[in-house]
Amino acid sequence: MSEGHEVRAAFRRKSAELAVAALFFALGAIVITDSVRLGIGWQEVHGPRPGYFPFYIGLILCVASLVNAGRALMVRRADNKAFVEVGQLKLVLSVLVPTMLYALLVTWIGIYVSSVLFIAFFMRWLGKYPWWKVAGVSLATAVVLYLVFEKWFKVPLPKGPLENLLGLG
């Protein structure tokens, strides 16, 4: 960052810490709720019920998140610096969003077609490779993955309609 260059913060330290504290509190609350459903008591003959230890882990998560939220609320304005800048967040999201979409697509169209699309997207969009290289590398990668996992290691991976249509399922 050069002198006089104003950086626009996407999130400041306080808001980031409060968001993470809220996320961990929600996670702890989910664990506590399910632990209570399973039973958090102690059985005379068998020892702890299934929810006993998870309940206390969830409780620790909730208490720790409340402590972190309290500390975040005490951050002074002078210390509330940028946690992430807009440009940095855009770079992270440019990888995170397609990766999340890839994970969703695997369940619908299988891992091989999703992988071809994922690799092709990144090669073309971020790498600016020509289409012939994009097609060659993404298709070759899917074929190699199929041979290695399905044929050599006998590990079935999620398949979609195209693989079933080709008789690979």
Side-chain angles (χ1 to χ4, degrees):
M1 179 168 70
S2 61
E3 288 293 322
H5 177 66
E6 183 64 29
V7 175
R8 213 173 66 179
F11 294 103
R12 297 213 168 269
R13 177 179 164 202
K14 181 186 276 189
S15 59
E17 288 187 14
L18 287 171
V20 170
L23 180 70
F24 275 95
F25 186 86
L27 179 66
I30 290 169
V31 170
I32 288 172
T33 302
D34 202 44
S35 296
V36 169
R37 181 185 63 81
L38 293 173
I40 60 171
W42 194 272
Q43 298 170 337
E44 285 297 319
V45 177
H46 302 290
R49 300 202 43 139
Y52 182 81
F53 292 111
F55 173 80
Y56 288 104
I57 299 296
L59 190 61
I60 290 169
L61 277 171
C62 287
V63 170
S65 66
L66 289 175
V67 169
N68 286 336
R71 291 187 63 182
L73 290 172
M74 293 189 292
V75 169
R76 294 176 294 162
R77 180 169 287 208
D79 294 332
N80 194 20
K81 299 191 181 346
F83 177 75
V84 65
E85 300 166 10
V86 172
Q88 293 170 329
L89 184 61
K90 284 181 182 177
L91 285 174
V92 169
L93 291 177
S94 71
V95 174
L96 180 65
V97 171
T99 303
M100 289 173 27
L101 184 60
Y102 168 71
L104 286 173
L105 284 176
V106 166
T107 62
W108 293 327
I109 62 174
I111 197 163
Y112 301 111
V113 175
S114 299
S115 295
V116 167
L117 295 174
F118 184 69
I119 293 167
F121 173 76
F122 273 104
M123 284 185 71
R124 185 68 183 163
W125 183 50
L126 294 178
K128 309 284 191 246
Y129 287 96
W131 282 110
W132 68 271
K133 285 184 181 180
V134 169
V137 169
S138 58
L139 290 171
T141 302
V143 169
V144 168
L145 286 174
Y146 176 79
L147 290 174
V148 169
F149 287 103
E150 302 280 343
K151 295 298 178 188
W152 295 336
F153 292 137
K154 305 287 186 203
V155 176
L157 296 177
K159 293 175 197 61
L162 181 62
E163 291 91 344
N164 292 332
L165 184 68
L166 295 173
L168 302 175

